[in-house]
Amino acid sequence: MKALSSPSNSSTITGFILLGFPCPREGQILLFVLFSIIYFLTLVGNASIICSVCCDQRLHTPMYLLLANFSFLEIWYVTSTVPNMLANFLSDTKVISFSGCFLQFYFFFSLGSTECFFLAVMAFDRYLAICRPLHYPALMTGRLCNILVISCWVLGFLWFPVPIIIISQMSFCGSRIIDHFLCDPGPLLALTCVRNSLLELTSSTLSSLLLFVPFFFIMGSYALVMRAVLRVPSAAGRRKAFSTCGSHLTVVSLFYGSVMVMYVSPTSEHAAGVQKLVTLFYSVVTPLLNPVIYSLRNRDMKHAMKKLLKI
């Protein structure tokens, strides 16, 4: 990895400075307490879903197995940013090492990529369950479910390594200050000595494919689901079908709505404060809300959680 250097005076630098959320010391401590609580609640909420699915035999179905894997993913997704953010609140230097910065970059984007694929697979599962109910048990077998889960993890972690490795080998000039709470490609590329248009195009193309292909697949799946639901003669049947899909659609809307604001519209139009707030929403707030969304609208999950709490 190249040393961070100034055009006039080259010197070895230990890392970057993540500004995070600049405010007085008292404000930093308050933010530390707030995000510690959010992190703890996120871990507890998602772990509760995993334990509920594992402990309740009735939830050993593809839909809930996918949900348990999704909750496991959310735990690691929020862990890729929040612990370092918490340490940053209490740090005077706010320095993150080169290796730490690019490891965070890799894991944050790989886990985010995996989330996109998981949301698409969960939509596919709902499509089969509602549009092909008689064939669903034969189509969505345990073997297919495991293959889909493994594929999500493998594709997610193989999507971004090449651009990240290339960026890590570039030379960085001038300021080493990143006005963000994590190592994001935009601020990192702004610190490079020479602009690499091909790398920027490649990174933008990979991001667009990652966002739009699963998103259109999800929208197509739910368009077919909606058509099938509207054909159900009874109002009770329609309500049951909508409640089954409503939680997932809410999560998709929250995640994709915020991510597309960041990575589809030109980043130059966003002030640093807006970038941080939007990133904070989809990387920290959404994993906190997901267990609430999935448990509140699902009778089986609520029953399993109540049963788990009595143990």
Side-chain angles (χ1 to χ4, degrees):
M1 190 179 296
K2 301 290 183 69
L4 190 69
S5 60
S6 169
S8 58
N9 184 26
S10 297
S11 58
T12 301
I13 302 296
T14 56
F16 299 100
I17 296 173
L18 288 176
L19 283 185
F21 300 94
C23 61
R25 184 68 178 174
E26 294 78 10
Q28 295 285 310
I29 294 171
L30 184 63
L31 287 172
F32 174 83
V33 173
L34 174 63
F35 282 102
S36 295
I37 294 170
I38 290 174
Y39 183 52
F40 174 75
L41 292 175
T42 302
L43 296 183
V44 170
N46 284 286
S48 298
I49 287 182
I50 296 170
C51 292
S52 297
V53 173
C54 291
C55 295
D56 195 325
Q57 193 70 28
R58 294 178 306 171
L59 300 185
H60 290 187
T61 62
M63 182 178 97
Y64 291 109
L65 291 174
L66 289 171
L67 179 57
N69 274 275
F70 186 72
S71 294
F72 180 73
L73 166 65
E74 292 289 66
I75 288 173
W76 288 108
Y77 189 43
V78 75
T79 300
S80 69
T81 56
V82 174
N84 183 73
M85 192 195 308
L86 294 175
N88 212 25
F89 287 138
L90 302 180
S91 171
D92 293 325
T93 60
K94 303 190 182 299
V95 171
I96 184 171
S97 66
F98 278 101
S99 57
C101 182
F102 282 98
L103 276 173
Q104 184 188 62
F105 185 1
Y106 173 68
F107 281 106
F108 179 70
F109 275 85
S110 295
L111 291 164
S113 303
T114 305
E115 181 155 345
C116 290
F117 294 126
F118 258 109
L119 290 172
V121 167
M122 291 166 80
F124 175 64
D125 174 69
R126 291 301 81 207
Y127 160 75
L128 289 180
I130 293 173
C131 297
R132 307 284 297 277
L134 298 178
H135 300 91
Y136 178 73
L139 292 172
M140 185 55 80
T141 60
R143 183 173 179 272
L144 177 60
C145 186
N146 290 333
I147 290 172
L148 291 172
V149 167
I150 293 169
S151 299
C152 287
W153 284 101
V154 172
L155 280 173
F157 277 79
L158 291 180
W159 198 262
F160 274 110
V162 173
I164 292 172
I165 291 170
I166 294 172
I167 294 173
S168 71
Q169 298 302 312
M170 297 176 74
S171 297
F172 298 89
C173 297
S175 170
R176 60 189 176 123
I177 297 172
I178 298 175
D179 192 4
H180 214 306
F181 62 86
L182 55 80
C183 290
D184 197 61
L188 278 172
L189 287 171
L191 296 178
T192 57
C193 298
V194 180
R195 183 172 178 179
N196 190 325
S197 300
L198 180 61
L199 177 62
E200 291 179 13
L201 178 62
T202 302
S203 184
S204 177
T205 302
L206 286 173
S207 297
S208 298
L209 286 173
L210 175 68
L211 289 173
F212 283 112
V213 172
F215 179 73
F216 285 129
F217 180 83
I218 293 168
M219 291 300 101
S221 297
Y222 276 108
L224 294 173
V225 166
M226 290 290 287
R227 188 179 68 175
V229 168
L230 292 174
R231 290 176 178 174
V232 175
S234 67
R238 287 196 296 271
R239 278 197 302 273
K240 184 178 179 181
F242 277 126
S243 66
T244 305
C245 302
S247 301
H248 186 245
L249 272 174
T250 304
V251 171
V252 168
S253 301
L254 289 172
F255 180 76
Y256 270 99
S258 51
V259 169
M260 285 186 173
V261 167
M262 276 297 299
Y263 295 104
V264 175
S265 56
T267 55
S268 59
E269 293 181 3
H270 304 303
V274 175
Q275 289 185 28
K276 283 187 272 192
L277 287 175
V278 175
T279 306
L280 190 68
F281 185 81
Y282 73 77
S283 65
V284 178
V285 177
T286 302
L288 171 68
L289 296 177
N290 286 351
V292 179
I293 294 168
Y294 280 114
S295 59
L296 281 179
R297 302 198 60 176
N298 190 301
R299 185 182 303 172
D300 292 334
M301 182 58 69
K302 281 193 286 188
H303 178 77
M305 284 193 168
K306 287 177 182 177
K307 185 179 175 182
L308 181 69
L309 291 172
K310 290 178 183 177
I311 295 175

